[in-house]
mmCIF file of all heavy atoms in Angstrom:
data_model
loop_
_atom_site.group_PDB
_atom_site.id
_atom_site.type_symbol
_atom_site.label_atom_id
_atom_site.label_comp_id
_atom_site.label_asym_id
_atom_site.label_seq_id
_atom_site.Cartn_x
_atom_site.Cartn_y
_atom_site.Cartn_z
ATOM 1 N N ALA E 158 70.972 24.615 -115.597
ATOM 2 C CA ALA E 158 70.151 25.575 -116.410
ATOM 3 C C ALA E 158 70.195 26.954 -115.732
ATOM 4 O O ALA E 158 70.225 27.969 -116.491
ATOM 5 C CB ALA E 158 68.768 25.023 -116.646
ATOM 6 N N LEU E 164 68.972 31.533 -124.010
ATOM 7 C CA LEU E 164 69.172 31.607 -125.393
ATOM 8 C C LEU E 164 68.728 33.010 -125.976
ATOM 9 O O LEU E 164 67.581 33.410 -125.657
ATOM 10 C CB LEU E 164 68.356 30.512 -126.210
ATOM 11 C CG LEU E 164 68.440 30.496 -127.744
ATOM 12 C CD1 LEU E 164 69.923 30.115 -128.030
ATOM 13 C CD2 LEU E 164 67.543 29.459 -128.245
ATOM 14 N N ASN E 172 73.267 24.017 -125.254
ATOM 15 C CA ASN E 172 73.459 23.989 -123.854
ATOM 16 C C ASN E 172 72.576 24.998 -123.101
ATOM 17 O O ASN E 172 72.540 24.933 -121.893
ATOM 18 C CB ASN E 172 74.873 24.277 -123.574
ATOM 19 C CG ASN E 172 75.875 23.222 -123.953
ATOM 20 O OD1 ASN E 172 75.418 22.013 -123.903
ATOM 21 N ND2 ASN E 172 77.005 23.586 -124.444
ATOM 22 N N GLN E 173 71.803 25.762 -123.715
ATOM 23 C CA GLN E 173 70.999 26.799 -123.201
ATOM 24 C C GLN E 173 69.566 26.485 -123.340
ATOM 25 O O GLN E 173 69.131 25.739 -124.264
ATOM 26 C CB GLN E 173 71.274 28.228 -123.916
ATOM 27 C CG GLN E 173 72.682 28.692 -123.581
ATOM 28 C CD GLN E 173 72.954 30.014 -124.415
ATOM 29 O OE1 GLN E 173 72.421 30.186 -125.423
ATOM 30 N NE2 GLN E 173 73.752 30.858 -123.758
ATOM 31 N N ILE E 174 68.767 26.843 -122.345
ATOM 32 C CA ILE E 174 67.357 26.538 -122.311
ATOM 33 C C ILE E 174 66.557 27.162 -123.398
ATOM 34 O O ILE E 174 66.571 28.383 -123.529
ATOM 35 C CB ILE E 174 66.729 26.837 -120.876
ATOM 36 C CG1 ILE E 174 67.476 26.062 -119.821
ATOM 37 C CG2 ILE E 174 65.228 26.585 -120.852
ATOM 38 C CD1 ILE E 174 67.334 24.570 -120.006
ATOM 39 N N GLN E 175 65.827 26.344 -124.118
ATOM 40 C CA GLN E 175 64.966 26.864 -125.229
ATOM 41 C C GLN E 175 63.429 26.901 -124.778
ATOM 42 O O GLN E 175 62.697 27.803 -125.243
ATOM 43 C CB GLN E 175 65.103 25.925 -126.501
ATOM 44 C CG GLN E 175 66.501 26.072 -127.056
ATOM 45 C CD GLN E 175 66.649 25.099 -128.218
ATOM 46 O OE1 GLN E 175 66.479 23.842 -128.010
ATOM 47 N NE2 GLN E 175 66.911 25.663 -129.387
ATOM 48 N N THR E 176 63.115 26.017 -123.885
ATOM 49 C CA THR E 176 61.704 26.002 -123.422
ATOM 50 C C THR E 176 61.734 25.859 -121.944
ATOM 51 O O THR E 176 62.400 24.942 -121.414
ATOM 52 C CB THR E 176 60.936 24.836 -123.977
ATOM 53 O OG1 THR E 176 60.919 25.008 -125.532
ATOM 54 C CG2 THR E 176 59.477 24.904 -123.484
ATOM 55 N N ALA E 177 61.179 26.775 -121.196
ATOM 56 C CA ALA E 177 60.957 26.703 -119.717
ATOM 57 C C ALA E 177 59.480 26.487 -119.403
ATOM 58 O O ALA E 177 58.632 27.380 -119.555
ATOM 59 C CB ALA E 177 61.482 27.970 -119.120
ATOM 60 N N PHE E 207 64.321 32.846 -117.175
ATOM 61 C CA PHE E 207 64.482 32.484 -118.577
ATOM 62 C C PHE E 207 63.581 33.337 -119.503
ATOM 63 O O PHE E 207 62.714 32.838 -120.216
ATOM 64 C CB PHE E 207 64.251 30.999 -118.842
ATOM 65 C CG PHE E 207 65.129 30.129 -117.985
ATOM 66 C CD1 PHE E 207 64.537 29.516 -116.950
ATOM 67 C CD2 PHE E 207 66.417 29.831 -118.368
ATOM 68 C CE1 PHE E 207 65.343 28.706 -116.030
ATOM 69 C CE2 PHE E 207 67.150 28.961 -117.482
ATOM 70 C CZ PHE E 207 66.643 28.470 -116.369
ATOM 71 N N ALA E 210 63.527 32.340 -123.325
ATOM 72 C CA ALA E 210 63.005 31.008 -123.687
ATOM 73 C C ALA E 210 61.519 31.046 -123.993
ATOM 74 O O ALA E 210 60.800 31.931 -123.718
ATOM 75 C CB ALA E 210 63.320 29.998 -122.561
ATOM 76 N N ASN E 263 65.771 21.950 -126.260
ATOM 77 C CA ASN E 263 66.450 21.859 -124.866
ATOM 78 C C ASN E 263 65.422 22.371 -123.824
ATOM 79 O O ASN E 263 65.186 23.531 -123.595
ATOM 80 C CB ASN E 263 67.622 22.840 -124.855
ATOM 81 C CG ASN E 263 68.527 22.480 -123.593
ATOM 82 O OD1 ASN E 263 68.171 21.830 -122.773
ATOM 83 N ND2 ASN E 263 69.725 23.158 -123.634
ATOM 84 N N LEU E 264 64.844 21.402 -123.168
ATOM 85 C CA LEU E 264 63.692 21.586 -122.333
ATOM 86 C C LEU E 264 63.982 21.668 -120.854
ATOM 87 O O LEU E 264 64.642 20.693 -120.471
ATOM 88 C CB LEU E 264 62.616 20.563 -122.662
ATOM 89 C CG LEU E 264 61.404 20.453 -121.697
ATOM 90 C CD1 LEU E 264 60.555 21.715 -121.874
ATOM 91 C CD2 LEU E 264 60.580 19.181 -122.026
ATOM 92 N N LEU E 265 63.476 22.567 -120.112
ATOM 93 C CA LEU E 265 63.495 22.488 -118.674
ATOM 94 C C LEU E 265 62.008 22.411 -118.180
ATOM 95 O O LEU E 265 61.234 23.306 -118.442
ATOM 96 C CB LEU E 265 64.160 23.673 -118.113
ATOM 97 C CG LEU E 265 64.149 23.819 -116.503
ATOM 98 C CD1 LEU E 265 64.860 22.661 -115.879
ATOM 99 C CD2 LEU E 265 64.614 25.190 -115.953
#
Side-chain angles (χ1 to χ4, degrees):
L164 184 66
N172 293 322
Q173 295 175 329
I174 296 301
Q175 296 173 299
T176 302
F207 301 100
N263 194 351
L264 171 67
L265 176 65

